[in-house]
Amino acid sequence: MSRYFLLDEDKAATARHGGELDGMHKWRLPGVRCHACGATWSSVGHDHPEVDLSGITEHAEFERPRPEPFTEFVRLRELARPFVPPGTPLPPGTTFGPLVGRASGRFGPIDWLGGIRLLMQPDALERLQAEGIRGPRGCRTELRFRQKNPPELLEIQLNPLGRLHLDCMPPDHPPPCATCGRLNLRWPEAPILDAASLPTELDLFRLGNFATMLIGTERLVDTVSRLQLDGITFRELPIR
């Protein structure tokens, strides 16, 4: 059986390079105030940096983070839906377009924003792709650097696929809200992957029901190690 690993930031490595960045995506779906479950919420990790919403007449309505009633959230969600692949989940807080913000200093081959958004220098991504790593796609950023001759950083587009197994979730956890889809669960202490849900054609992806979790195959781990691309750690997860 294939082996899968949870990816995380190697904070010692990224701190050693000394780069700093702060940014957010150009467009986003609002959060939602659900009339059914009473929750006000938005998700993290459902990012589509390669999607351009500038052609939507109402694109300005995607520029300000805020909660909206469910009906208004649905209206905006359906405006964005034609720009993503069929079946792509678009929960509240889904983001689109390039990262916009400020950056300074030196960066290693792999870096992170907020510990969940993966960035790479073009050379690092090209080396991984040349080794046959399947999944990561580099998207341009609009980060403003303070120094001359700044590095180029690409955000890695990773669609949410696969799921955590029910065995690692509380047995009495409530089902998702039938209206807004909110699933009130915290990151499990001991994650277990649902083997039947994992994509076999990719070496790097996010989880569909916990999009803040980045998952890589043993092939990715071996390749990153062999190419000596620092900035990332791996922890093997059980599969069931």
Side-chain angles (χ1 to χ4, degrees):
M1 180 179 292
S2 299
R3 300 168 66 196
Y4 289 86
F5 297 77
L6 177 66
L7 280 59
D8 203 354
E9 178 181 1
D10 185 342
K11 294 183 178 179
T14 54
R16 189 164 57 246
H17 292 291
E20 296 183 359
L21 62 92
D22 182 25
M24 60 188 299
H25 294 96
K26 183 171 288 189
W27 302 287
R28 69 185 57 236
L29 288 177
V32 70
R33 292 195 299 268
C34 182
H35 60 275
C37 67
T40 297
W41 67 283
S42 65
S43 65
V44 179
H46 290 264
D47 303 322
H48 300 275
E50 63 188 3
V51 170
D52 182 359
L53 296 186
S54 61
I56 297 178
T57 303
E58 303 91 337
H59 66 83
E61 298 184 53
F62 294 85
E63 296 174 359
R64 181 171 59 87
R66 68 202 185 279
E68 291 282 5
F70 181 71
T71 53
E72 174 64 5
F73 161 75
V74 169
R75 182 183 74 85
L76 294 172
R77 181 187 66 189
E78 297 313 303
L79 289 175
R81 190 173 297 283
F83 295 85
V84 298
T88 299
L90 295 174
T94 297
T95 69
F96 310 94
L99 278 175
V100 178
R102 298 180 181 275
S104 63
R106 296 175 58 252
F107 291 85
I110 297 174
D111 214 292
W112 299 74
L113 177 61
I116 60 170
R117 293 181 172 115
L118 188 63
L119 297 102
M120 294 185 187
Q121 296 206 33
D123 177 68
L125 179 58
E126 290 169 4
R127 294 173 70 191
L128 287 174
Q129 292 173 335
E131 294 289 332
I133 295 300
R134 306 159 301 170
R137 303 193 302 277
C139 302
R140 67 180 182 86
T141 59
E142 294 183 2
L143 297 168
R144 300 185 302 278
F145 283 82
R146 300 172 185 171
Q147 70 261 33
K148 295 181 179 179
N149 302 316
E152 182 181 1
L153 290 176
L154 301 174
E155 184 178 7
I156 304 304
Q157 166 83 50
L158 297 171
N159 291 337
L161 299 163
R163 306 183 69 81
L164 287 179
H165 199 281
L166 290 175
D167 287 353
C168 69
M169 300 180 185
D172 57 348
H173 73 84
C177 173
T179 298
C180 70
R182 180 174 184 259
L183 182 63
N184 187 20
L185 282 178
R186 296 182 178 182
W187 187 308
E189 294 183 6
I192 302 171
L193 300 176
D194 183 341
S197 73
L198 300 177
T200 57
E201 73 281 5
L202 299 175
D203 294 302
L204 179 59
F205 55 93
R206 291 185 180 276
L207 280 186
N209 59 347
F210 270 83
T212 54
M213 290 187 174
L214 277 68
I215 304 298
T217 62
E218 183 177 12
R219 184 182 184 189
L220 175 70
V221 176
D222 292 343
T223 303
V224 167
S225 176
R226 179 161 41 81
L227 297 179
Q228 298 182 325
L229 302 176
D230 67 9
I232 192 168
T233 64
F234 300 95
R235 172 163 68 100
E236 186 169 4
L237 296 181
I239 303 173
R240 196 169 294 170

